[in-house]
Amino acid sequence: MIAITRDVSPSVNQCELTHLQPEAIDVERAIAQHEEYRALLASLGLEVVRIPADPAFPDCVFIEDTAIVLDDVAVITRPGAPSRRGETRAVADVLARYRRLMHIEEPATIDGGDVLVLDDRIFVGRSQRTNEAALAQLRFHTRRDVIPVDVHGALHLKSAITRVSRNALLVNRDWIDVAPFRGWTLIDAEEPFGANAVLVNDVVIYPSAFPRTRTKLERDGIDVRTVDASELAKAEGGVTCCALLV
Ligand code: GLY
């Protein structure tokens, strides 16, 4: 497996904010934390590819929003925030080495953070960033079952729900209706922002800021490795946002 990452932009303090109030981001510390995250991915056996940051794009470290990568195709998104649309070009150039590319076109908008792929089904958050037109285009490009999930109060679907094992999802039910996830074991996050985790080869990468949820996951037998992601959390980014897993 390959993890494509993008470096922290020196302009990250100008990032988009939807639900959070601005707080100064220590850029050097954010870079160091991002390095720790990449090192953890590498230690789990992934080849880590780095795309340089572009100062024109404050949010470019959140590379997950620029593409949806499946086994047979990668769909380049059209991000919901106009300031982020130009982020996709450099990512598409790299992804083209690994996958056939399809592109989401106007009037559709979609952020990869709203896309949760669970086996052969694709759950898509209808959020402030992702619209109905995008769901139709994604269905067409992927030939998969695309299931809408309304998101309220969170930036993205994956702020509210992520996979933590073969059969379990970590969830914050305040932000989504979990009915579409019938059949899955649901683990309730103990902290409101604690539902965002990355599952890599049976290991969960998880922010150190949420110890109560971490303990709960470990009690369920899940192997959790924590990272300090506190600086990029101020930019409304979680651990899924910082990598495209190919
Ligand atoms: N700051 C992350 C985003 O709003 O897309």
Side-chain angles (χ1 to χ4, degrees):
M1 197 187 276
I2 297 163
I4 305 178
T5 65
R6 192 158 190 188
D7 291 350
V8 177
S9 175
S11 60
V12 67
N13 274 290
Q14 276 78 58
C15 67
E16 295 285 336
L17 286 177
T18 306
H19 297 285
L20 298 184
Q21 293 303 312
E23 239 187 293
I25 298 169
D26 180 332
V27 179
E28 289 312 311
R29 191 152 178 255
I31 290 170
Q33 291 177 354
H34 192 245
E35 206 168 299
E36 182 198 344
Y37 171 85
R38 283 198 316 271
L40 180 53
L41 288 168
S43 76
L44 297 174
L46 277 71
E47 179 192 338
V48 180
V49 174
R50 277 176 75 175
I51 302 176
D54 183 333
F57 299 120
D59 281 298
C60 69
V61 67
F62 302 128
I63 190 170
E64 167 183 63
D65 291 317
T66 62
I68 298 137
V69 183
L70 304 177
D71 290 347
D72 54 338
V73 67
V75 180
I76 304 300
T77 65
R78 182 167 180 266
S83 72
R84 300 200 56 190
R85 301 229 167 108
E87 292 176 27
T88 57
R89 188 185 301 253
V91 180
D93 287 347
V94 173
L95 264 178
R97 291 181 212 151
Y98 307 103
R99 291 288 187 278
R100 177 171 62 91
L101 300 185
M102 305 300 283
H103 294 262
I104 298 290
E105 306 285 357
E106 202 176 349
T109 65
I110 184 166
D111 284 6
D114 273 320
V115 180
L116 178 64
V117 179
L118 296 176
D119 305 327
D120 54 354
R121 305 171 87 197
I122 306 179
F123 294 83
V124 178
R126 280 192 293 219
S127 69
Q128 285 172 277
R129 297 288 174 85
T130 297
N131 63 19
E132 202 65 43
L135 273 84
Q137 290 188 24
L138 193 60
R139 217 170 263 130
F140 177 77
H141 289 319
T142 64
R143 312 281 166 194
R144 303 267 206 306
D145 204 4
V146 172
I147 300 141
V149 184
D150 291 324
V151 179
H152 302 285
L155 179 59
H156 288 133
L157 177 65
K158 277 188 279 194
S159 317
I161 189 162
T162 51
R163 189 175 193 165
V164 288
S165 75
R166 197 175 49 77
N167 58 0
L169 305 173
L170 181 61
V171 64
N172 176 338
R173 296 177 201 240
D174 291 341
W175 292 336
I176 55 162
D177 173 9
V178 294
F181 301 98
R182 201 178 15 246
W184 289 84
T185 299
L186 299 180
I187 302 173
D188 290 290
E190 293 296 314
E191 293 97 345
F193 289 95
N196 185 264
V198 185
L199 178 64
V200 178
N201 299 336
D202 294 327
V203 172
V204 166
I205 300 179
Y206 194 67
S208 53
F210 310 122
R212 286 186 292 131
T213 305
R214 176 196 176 161
T215 303
K216 194 170 182 181
L217 291 171
E218 288 176 335
R219 268 205 308 264
D220 283 354
I222 294 171
D223 183 357
V224 181
R225 316 280 170 91
T226 56
V227 284
D228 185 353
S230 55
E231 290 304 315
L232 291 177
K234 296 177 192 168
E236 228 165 341
V239 285
T240 60
C241 307
C242 294
L244 282 171
L245 301 179
V246 179

